[in-house]
Amino acid sequence: MSGRGTFEQLLAEGAAVPVRGWDFSWLNDRACEERPPWGYARLVADRMARAGAALDVDTGGGEVLAEVPHPPRVLLATEAWPPNVEVARRTLRPLGATVLWVAGGGDLPVRDATLDLVVSRHPVCTHWDEVARVLRPGGAFLSQQIRGGTVRELSEALLGPLPPPVRQLPQQAVAAAEAAGLTVVDLREATLRTVFHDIAAVTYFLRKVVWTVPGFTVARYRPQLARLHDRIEREGPFVARARRFLIEAVRPA
């Protein structure tokens, strides 16, 4: 038996933690992931300091945007998941940001050519035509995105072997940006070691990062979770690989 508890105890713990917002601090000491080398939060802060009007798309609970030390005069954020909207409004109130609910796939509630900067960390889907529409000439879009096949090892531990990813690939993002009339000025990729120390961390992660195992519930995947718990007990922490890419594109002046 793990020093952290029995399977039943750990499963119940991971199933009970609230998953609002995009703060993963509950996983401290239970799981860890390498950070991409480009430092997304630092890049966002730098771009925000030079912008007059900016938008954060899919802000989650506003955690990344809240780190900006010098926000622009006009700062907007959108979020599709209703529970996160109120979290983001509280988090971003000190920055004077306006947080708007936008249905997944909905148009951005911004007039044409009014923004200097659009940022987005881990968007579910990038609507490139909308991004291009709201940017002023010379304006930029900066985004850290989840590459297809991320933490594939964890997905396969519950789902079995999967085919190679065909969506959320960097070259697809470049093609879509260019089709929308934007010019890609930066593209970087990173593969990041991700370690889960117990099944509570796995359960919490799967409840929060819902695309890892679509339709995940504790009851539905209980046998697979039990097998993974036994594997961690025998072999030590479960290691997966997170895959990210950074893309920056500008609207030609």
Side-chain angles (χ1 to χ4, degrees):
M1 185 184 82
S2 168
R4 294 177 181 265
T6 66
F7 170 67
E8 297 295 343
Q9 290 168 337
L10 293 169
L11 194 65
E13 188 176 1
V17 183
V19 291
R20 283 187 173 187
W22 208 239
D23 177 9
F24 287 82
S25 59
W26 184 82
L27 289 175
N28 291 349
D29 301 325
R30 310 194 82 132
C32 59
E33 179 182 290
E34 290 179 310
R35 300 292 92 189
W38 48 75
Y40 176 75
R42 176 182 53 79
L43 294 176
V44 168
D46 174 69
R47 304 301 194 276
M48 287 281 177
R50 294 184 275 127
L55 166 68
D56 184 21
V57 177
D58 290 346
T59 194
E63 295 85 2
V64 174
L65 197 56
E67 297 180 19
V68 172
H70 304 292
R73 179 176 55 83
V74 176
L75 182 58
L76 308 172
T78 64
E79 173 58 25
W81 194 40
N84 276 351
V85 173
E86 290 305 317
V87 175
R89 284 174 177 160
R90 291 194 299 270
T91 302
L92 298 176
R93 189 172 293 123
L95 273 67
T98 299
V99 180
L100 304 169
W101 174 80
V102 174
D107 293 344
L108 297 175
V110 180
R111 295 192 303 273
D112 294 0
T114 55
L115 299 176
D116 303 301
L117 177 67
V118 177
V119 300
S120 188
R121 179 179 180 268
H122 303 171
V124 176
C125 180
T126 301
H127 301 282
W128 291 99
D129 289 340
E130 278 293 282
V131 170
R133 178 184 67 79
V134 301
L135 283 174
R136 292 171 177 155
F141 174 69
L142 177 69
S143 180
Q144 179 176 296
Q145 307 221 351
I146 297 173
R147 190 190 189 283
T150 192
V151 290
R152 179 189 184 92
E153 300 84 355
L154 180 57
S155 301
E156 291 189 331
L158 273 71
L159 298 172
L162 297 171
V166 296
R167 296 177 60 253
Q168 295 177 272
L169 302 177
Q171 59 269 32
Q172 293 172 339
V174 171
E178 293 176 344
L182 302 176
T183 300
V184 176
V185 296
D186 195 3
L187 181 69
R188 310 182 218 177
E189 296 186 57
T191 300
L192 311 165
R193 191 170 185 266
T194 305
V195 181
F196 298 90
H197 292 280
D198 63 33
I199 205 64
V202 170
T203 302
Y204 171 80
F205 182 87
L206 292 173
R207 292 173 56 230
K208 196 174 185 76
V209 188
V210 295
W211 52 81
T212 307
V213 176
F216 173 82
T217 66
V218 171
R220 181 178 180 183
Y221 285 95
R222 184 186 181 89
Q224 293 92 328
L225 292 168
R227 287 197 293 271
L228 186 52
H229 168 76
D230 291 342
R231 175 177 170 179
I232 293 172
E233 291 287 281
R234 292 192 313 271
E235 302 175 8
F238 181 82
V239 178
R241 297 290 187 276
R243 292 163 175 84
R244 303 283 184 265
F245 67 92
L246 181 83
I247 185 168
E248 185 170 9
V250 299
R251 178 176 174 179

